[in-house]
Amino acid sequence: MAKKPYYITTAIAYTSGKPHIGNTYEIVLADSIARFKRAQGYDVRFQTGTDEHGQKVEIKAAEAGVTPKEYVDGVAGEIKRIWDLMDTSYDRFIRTTDADHEAQVQKIFKKLYDQGDIYKGYYEGKYCTPCESFFTESQLVDGKCPDCGREVIDAKEEAYFFKMSKYADRLIEHINTHPEFIQPESRKNEIMNNFLLPGLQDLCVSRTSFTWGIPVTFDPKHVIYVWIDALSNYITGLGFDLDGNSDPMVEKYWPADLHLIGKDIIRFHTIYWPIMLMALDIPLPKQVFGHPWLLVGEGKMSKSKGNVIYADDLVDYFGVDAVRYFVLHEMPFDNDGSITWELMVERMNSDLANILGNLVNRTISMTNKYFGGVVTNPGVNEPVDEELKRVALE
Ligand SMILES: [Zn+2]
């Protein structure tokens, strides 16, 4: 019998800089799920990658005195090196600068425009330059950017818009009839109550204020903004082709079983992405899981605070399996986890050295003492084994 397919993705990492251990958590978690599913007999496809366009990259590249492409080549290489160092078993590392991806994104944009879901207009609003995001007055927090807390400026630009509201009722219906779609449950309530039920605004899907992006084919002074570019990776990475010449992997693995992402980007994955797919008449992913964050002690990791911990430093010191164990152990399902060098040492000494190390040590000692170090009867099945199995299964 053919193995059942299972398609899992991480978010694609933004190539503005080297990822810290908090950003590395997601790939380790996804890898554990992928390995578990393979062990269960599924035919697993596991995708990760990098989101490489946008104004932030353009600015960073200029500061570094290199082209944006040279800049993202460097950062994407570094991200891939860390994913490999963490011993993660992905099947494709997609980059949004990959030619096959860019071609499909252009076709998708054109199709949405041709069928009237995208139209040209003007965007006026409050703009946060570092976040590259427009906000309405009501979305601001104390007059500042709700995402990063920085000052916003008044801005107006010609832009293309996606008619989100056209699909809102269908999306609400889908979320209501598929309770497993948004996980954990608390995130679903947030999406419904804060965004969907009050009414969706049309989404700005192009920019003219920078050039490092995929150009709109029929209006090349516009570049396609992050949403359609980045989110499409989940299908383009399988070899999706809008003209019907898709790779057989699309038929096999889509819809995805799980998009594993950070809780901060759940809105994009449970509103913008499903609406894009509805407009393209493509089935929706089965589940979007917004995981919590890994904090340093009690606070968010940031370069300005000087508390950033990198995966490669931890791996140099503790070894990769101990680091993988730590991040998986320390992250509860729905609440933020915490990492410090002290916690890492404590966990390693208590769980891995004392508990697991002792168990292995005692087992081997007794095997040597009582059985001469040889397992002679591996198929044995006595009442005591049944008892152990029963307890374990319970
Ligand atoms: Zn901001």
Side-chain angles (χ1 to χ4, degrees):
M1 207 176 81
K3 287 180 174 184
K4 254 182 93 178
Y6 185 87
Y7 181 33
I8 179 172
T9 67
T10 67
I12 48 176
Y14 195 57
T15 47
S16 56
K18 178 178 174 177
H20 55 61
I21 187 67
N23 313 130
T24 309
Y25 163 69
E26 184 172 299
I27 187 78
V28 173
L29 176 56
D31 182 64
S32 309
I33 297 169
R35 286 171 188 268
F36 179 67
K37 288 290 172 184
R38 281 189 211 109
Q40 281 188 315
Y42 285 85
D43 182 347
V44 172
R45 171 87 182 172
F46 173 19
Q47 181 171 296
T48 186
T50 41
D51 168 17
E52 305 194 353
H53 294 119
Q55 193 168 23
K56 246 186 276 186
V57 163
E58 196 171 83
I59 292 168
K60 289 259 186 181
E63 283 169 5
V66 296
T67 65
K69 183 63 169 59
E70 285 167 342
Y71 185 81
V72 295
D73 282 349
V75 180
E78 183 70 358
I79 292 172
K80 192 165 182 298
R81 186 184 67 78
I82 293 172
W83 280 196
D84 290 340
L85 176 75
M86 294 312 293
D87 202 11
T88 56
S89 58
Y90 56 83
D91 298 294
R92 177 164 179 187
F93 188 99
I94 189 172
R95 300 179 56 186
T96 55
T97 52
D98 289 342
D100 58 340
H101 172 81
E102 291 194 341
Q104 290 305 321
V105 169
Q106 287 184 319
K107 285 198 219 174
I108 288 169
F109 195 96
K110 174 90 169 39
K111 178 175 162 70
L112 295 173
Y113 178 76
D114 288 345
Q115 71 189 30
D117 284 324
I118 287 179
Y119 63 93
K120 193 165 170 173
Y122 280 95
Y123 205 107
E124 275 181 278
K126 304 290 179 185
Y127 187 71
C128 174
T129 310
C131 294
E132 302 175 26
S133 298
F134 275 99
F135 298 100
T136 61
E137 201 80 52
S138 65
Q139 287 173 317
L140 300 180
V141 176
D142 300 328
K144 297 195 170 133
C145 170
D147 289 341
C148 75
R150 292 188 180 88
E151 296 289 343
V152 291
I153 53 168
D154 286 308
K156 178 179 180 179
E157 78 177 51
E158 184 189 272
Y160 286 91
F161 290 86
F162 192 124
K163 287 182 192 163
M164 289 274 125
S165 49
K166 182 176 157 189
Y167 297 93
D169 288 344
R170 259 178 77 188
L171 181 57
I172 291 169
E173 171 72 14
H174 182 83
I175 292 171
N176 283 333
T177 53
H178 296 79
E180 73 292 349
F181 179 59
I182 305 177
Q183 289 294 322
E185 189 77 18
S186 54
R187 312 255 184 267
K188 173 178 139 184
N189 301 335
E190 184 186 309
I191 291 298
M192 286 296 254
N193 299 333
N194 298 355
F195 297 100
L196 280 172
L197 296 176
L200 277 183
Q201 297 197 343
D202 289 351
L203 180 70
C204 184
V205 289
S206 80
R207 287 289 188 275
T208 53
S209 52
F210 60 91
T211 57
W212 179 239
I214 304 174
V216 174
T217 46
F218 52 91
D219 194 355
K221 75 172 186 290
H222 288 261
V223 292
I224 296 167
Y225 191 51
V226 59
W227 315 123
I228 292 179
D229 178 3
L231 291 165
S232 300
N233 93 84
Y234 300 124
I235 51 174
T236 62
L238 292 173
F240 170 79
D241 177 48
L242 194 64
D243 299 330
N245 301 312
S246 291
D247 188 283
M249 279 200 296
V250 175
E251 171 83 35
K252 180 171 173 188
Y253 290 111
W254 193 263
D257 293 271
L258 178 60
H259 289 323
L260 186 67
I261 56 163
K263 63 180 181 180
D264 51 325
I265 55 171
I266 196 141
R267 176 170 33 127
F268 317 140
H269 283 78
T270 57
I271 297 178
Y272 305 163
W273 178 227
I275 285 179
M276 269 176 64
L277 290 167
M278 283 175 179
L280 295 168
D281 204 19
I282 297 172
L284 306 195
K286 292 173 201 164
Q287 186 164 81
V288 176
F289 188 97
H291 64 71
W293 285 334
L294 189 60
L295 308 177
V296 175
E298 305 280 292
K300 225 180 146 176
M301 240 173 267
S302 81
K303 271 196 186 141
S304 54
K305 284 193 210 159
N307 64 354
V308 177
I309 298 177
Y310 292 104
D312 38 0
D313 294 332
L314 290 168
V315 169
D316 276 350
Y317 201 80
F318 298 103
V320 63
D321 288 332
V323 177
R324 287 173 59 105
Y325 175 79
F326 181 90
V327 295
L328 292 173
H329 177 279
E330 217 58 26
M331 294 287 277
F333 185 67
D334 202 4
N335 299 312
D336 292 333
S338 175
I339 186 168
T340 61
W341 284 84
E342 292 77 14
L343 281 172
M344 179 77 217
V345 169
E346 198 182 303
R347 185 62 57 206
M348 180 146 176
N349 286 343
S350 67
D351 289 11
L352 298 181
N354 289 346
I355 298 175
L356 187 63
N358 257 328
L359 175 69
V360 172
N361 186 39
R362 282 180 198 204
T363 306
I364 290 176
S365 303
M366 287 202 279
T367 309
N368 286 336
K369 189 168 169 190
Y370 299 115
F371 301 103
V374 180
V375 180
T376 50
N377 194 3
V380 70
N381 200 1
E382 292 173 352
V384 65
D385 300 304
E386 288 307 318
E387 174 76 10
L388 181 62
K389 261 192 235 167
R390 191 180 56 76
V391 171
L393 286 171
E394 277 173 9

